[in-house]
Amino acid sequence: MENDSTEAWKKPELNKTTTDNLMWIEKYRPETLKDLVSQDQIIQTIKKYVDLGGLPHLLFYGPPGTGKTSTILALAREIYGKSFRNMVLELNASDDRGIDVVREQIRNFASTSSVFGFGAAVSGDMSKGGNNYKMIILDEADSMTQAAQAALRRVIEKYTKNVRFCIICNYASKITPAIHSRCTKFRFKPLNQDQIRGRLNYIIKQESVSIDSDAVDAILDISKGDMRRVLNILQGCYLSHETIDFDSVYSVTGQPRPSDIKLIFQSLLNDEFSVCHDYISKVKFTYGIALADIITNLLTPILSCSLPPSCITYLVSQLAEIEYRLANSSSDEIQLSALVGTFKIAVEKAA
Ligand SMILES: Nc1ncnc2c1ncn2[C@@H]1O[C@H](COP(=O)(O)OP(=O)(O)O)[C@@H](O)[C@H]1O
Ligand SMILES: [Mg+2]
């Protein structure tokens, strides 16, 4: 599969008038399996199953923006071609609907036999196996309660004959073992920077975005392998800046710049409590940065600093606590004091 070159991105064939107002994450959602940059191994394996005519139930898991939804949609399009609409049911488990509604929809869909007995109007290689089953895609399944999952298990069993399920989630651990054991599991990993860069450059060209090269690097750094985040940042910057430079990427995303993190880290190690506290407050206020983002970005300098290992361990465990408390809606103000205090204790320990 071609991954990195901009040349690989001749698609999608988009009708400009209908796509101009679309969010770029939808406009540039890969149409075919070839459009996906990465996850080749997973795609190859699933294609083999399809060729052999026996697609198992699938469980896709992994971080957001790695192509889970796009992969199954592209795969279903290749399997079913024009019959996609008749043969595929897409449900989002995090919609505000109970399992009963979902069960009802699944029952209605699954119990009507497939009109096209043999892989429908299938295109390409995938027509070989007798894919005479329908497909139900259950996205964001980790938001389902245990009770709903237990009900789903029975539904899967009941309709196994003519329906294949593809269950998608971020956290496999939130899916019950009973569903795990009925599915073939695929873990989607974050995209690497080269893969993202190829796709990003293609979109920049398509949309005639004026962007500096260090701004592209900044987007890659911030997005950490999440392609949805890449596209959202690019579109956000494009709408607010004529030319996107390094600083605009950080200001649009509200992320601390690497140079700010460096200065904050120095201050945490060397300055008096109140001086450091005031300095970080000022940076937070000036750039509208959340404390949680500062903490996440402090990990790298902490792990590579010259403090004794016991102090580094102490710092990391305390930071994890502070991050946890922030996630549970403790105030930034109190946790900022806790952060500065933690560093003071660590430096004292090291002396
Ligand atoms: N592997 C990929 N190749 C190309 N684009 C991708 C890939 N993964 C994600 N994207 C882009 O990110 C957006 C979100 O992808 P999606 O498949 O919904 O991710 P997930 O379901 O894993 O959260 C898509 O619209 C697409 O534009
Ligand atoms: Mg998804």
Side-chain angles (χ1 to χ4, degrees):
M1 213 172 123
E2 308 105 313
N3 276 344
D4 302 340
S5 82
T6 320
E7 275 309 293
W9 298 111
K10 288 278 156 62
K11 293 239 169 186
E13 296 131 12
L14 295 158
N15 174 345
K16 254 211 159 284
T17 48
T18 55
T19 56
D20 271 354
N21 299 326
L22 273 183
M23 291 288 295
W24 289 356
I25 51 164
E26 288 311 325
K27 185 169 176 181
Y28 292 100
R29 186 184 284 282
E31 281 281 303
T32 67
L33 290 173
K34 279 200 217 82
D35 294 339
L36 284 148
V37 278
S38 82
Q39 323 300 1
D40 316 16
Q41 195 90 48
I42 296 176
I43 294 167
Q44 288 317 319
T45 312
I46 298 176
K47 273 186 161 179
K48 271 195 196 128
Y49 278 120
V50 175
D51 284 348
L52 296 170
L55 191 68
H57 298 303
L58 303 167
L59 173 64
F60 286 180
Y61 66 101
T66 50
K68 299 182 293 300
T69 307
S70 307
T71 300
I72 194 63
L73 289 176
L75 182 81
R77 246 177 251 124
E78 291 205 10
I79 295 178
Y80 299 114
K82 286 191 187 110
S83 318
F84 179 90
R85 294 253 160 265
N86 296 324
M87 301 294 280
V88 180
L89 175 67
E90 263 184 275
L91 295 170
N92 196 311
S94 62
D95 278 356
D96 194 17
R97 288 178 298 188
I99 181 67
D100 287 340
V101 179
V102 172
R103 214 166 7 178
E104 196 52 41
Q105 272 185 287
I106 293 177
R107 192 179 301 135
N108 286 340
F109 175 77
S111 52
T112 53
S113 62
S114 42
V115 187
F116 311 92
F118 208 77
V122 210
S123 60
D125 280 336
M126 301 229 180
S127 54
K128 285 180 228 153
N131 299 317
N132 56 347
Y133 43 74
K134 293 178 160 189
M135 182 182 283
I136 295 180
I137 301 169
L138 202 53
D139 215 338
E140 301 185 25
D142 39 8
S143 64
M144 292 174 88
T145 61
Q146 290 293 315
Q149 292 191 28
L152 179 65
R153 189 197 73 186
R154 285 194 295 277
V155 175
I156 294 180
E157 262 165 14
K158 193 163 172 203
Y159 297 110
T160 286
K161 232 174 158 188
N162 64 330
V163 177
R164 290 294 171 272
F165 283 83
C166 177
I167 295 166
I168 304 180
C169 63
N170 290 142
Y171 303 103
S173 58
K174 290 195 181 158
I175 302 293
T176 69
I179 292 185
H180 271 267
S181 73
R182 283 165 178 77
C183 299
T184 304
K185 288 174 263 181
F186 294 94
R187 182 176 174 276
F188 282 63
K189 31 182 208 309
L191 275 62
N192 74 38
Q193 295 218 338
D194 288 339
Q195 293 165 336
I196 295 183
R197 200 184 285 277
R199 184 67 165 160
L200 185 58
N201 284 336
Y202 166 74
I203 296 166
I204 287 170
K205 212 164 151 195
Q206 285 292 109
E207 299 290 337
S208 312
V209 180
S210 159
I211 182 167
D212 297 350
S213 68
D214 55 356
V216 172
D217 292 339
I219 294 178
L220 293 176
D221 261 357
I222 293 172
S223 59
K224 307 223 169 359
D226 175 346
M227 193 68 199
R228 181 184 292 106
R229 195 144 189 234
V230 168
L231 296 182
N232 281 332
I233 296 174
L234 184 69
Q235 192 170 19
C237 292
Y238 171 75
L239 294 174
S240 55
H241 293 77
E242 242 163 54
T243 296
I244 305 171
D245 61 14
F246 184 81
D247 277 343
S248 52
V249 173
Y250 282 96
S251 75
V252 164
T253 53
Q255 286 292 310
R257 292 173 303 177
S259 57
D260 291 326
I261 289 296
K262 212 169 162 187
L263 292 173
I264 287 173
F265 185 62
Q266 288 308 324
S267 175
L268 282 163
L269 288 179
N270 304 317
D271 291 342
E272 290 278 309
F273 186 99
S274 58
V275 175
C276 177
H277 184 283
D278 291 351
Y279 175 66
I280 299 178
S281 288
K282 203 175 113 202
V283 175
K284 272 173 83 268
F285 181 75
T286 312
Y287 300 110
I289 300 168
L291 186 61
D293 291 327
I294 295 181
I295 288 176
T296 309
N297 284 285
L298 280 173
L299 186 64
T300 311
I302 288 175
L303 292 179
S304 55
C305 78
S306 58
L307 287 173
S310 62
C311 295
I312 293 183
T313 314
Y314 170 78
L315 273 177
V316 173
S317 73
Q318 290 301 304
L319 255 60
E321 283 289 324
I322 297 174
E323 188 185 48
Y324 180 78
R325 293 195 293 258
L326 280 170
N328 288 287
S329 61
S330 168
S331 87
D332 259 34
E333 191 53 35
I334 293 174
Q335 297 311 320
L336 172 56
S337 301
L339 173 69
V340 181
T342 298
F343 268 82
K344 295 303 117 194
I345 294 171
V347 170
E348 240 168 58
K349 275 178 190 276

